[in-house]
Amino acid sequence: MSDRIFGVVGLLLAIGYAISAFAIEESFLSDAVGPKAFPLIIATILAIASAVIALRPDPEPVWPSLSRLAEVAAAVVVLLLYSELLPVAGFLIATAFAAAYLGWRLGASALEAVAVGIGTSVGIYVIFHLVLGLSLARGPFGF
């Protein structure tokens, strides 16, 4: 039953996404494909996947325990805090903390999680900011 509900919700989301895509105004300077193509492709893929889930559901799933659901909720809270603190703390600091926490919850020891957090943050910063020249959120220290 839960797969059917999930599939129907996905179909409704795809319909809403497609309606929003059709509401995009086209400029007279747009290319041949136009700005609606990509959102409509995403809506189509979502609709097909949701229809398959709704029409061919799996047997009733075994839901995780309350403690596991709390861990998932904590990870969602960390990601929400990450998005809120990114402009304040900057990319390097916010990403290091978020990646360290998520690494720790995925099974790394505390020391490994800190190393992964710092390595992930610095690695992404080097690739995206220094190599590709993309702008990332600057923190209180200017990086």
Side-chain angles (χ1 to χ4, degrees):
M1 182 65 177
S2 60
D3 281 355
R4 292 188 194 275
I5 294 170
F6 181 69
V8 169
V9 169
L11 279 170
L12 294 173
L13 185 64
I15 291 168
Y17 199 72
I19 290 170
S20 296
F22 281 118
I24 295 173
E25 293 184 22
E26 294 188 31
S27 169
F28 66 93
L29 295 174
S30 67
D31 57 11
V33 178
K36 297 178 184 180
F38 185 72
L40 288 174
I41 291 170
I42 298 296
T44 303
I45 293 170
L46 178 60
I48 291 169
S50 297
V52 169
I53 290 171
L55 296 175
R56 299 189 59 190
D58 289 337
E60 281 302 311
V62 177
W63 288 92
S65 65
L66 188 59
S67 64
R68 289 289 182 196
L69 288 175
E71 285 187 32
V72 171
V76 170
V77 168
V78 166
L79 293 175
L80 290 172
L81 287 172
Y82 173 71
S83 67
E84 289 297 318
L85 294 176
L86 192 60
V88 177
F91 178 82
L92 280 174
I93 295 170
T95 302
F97 278 107
Y101 174 79
L102 294 174
W104 175 62
R105 293 314 311 146
L106 287 171
S109 69
L111 188 58
E112 291 171 337
V114 169
V116 165
I118 292 170
T120 300
S121 179
V122 170
I124 293 173
Y125 182 82
V126 167
I127 292 171
F128 284 91
H129 185 70
L130 301 179
V131 174
L132 297 175
L134 299 175
S135 177
L136 299 174
R138 293 186 182 271
F141 304 111
F143 51 83

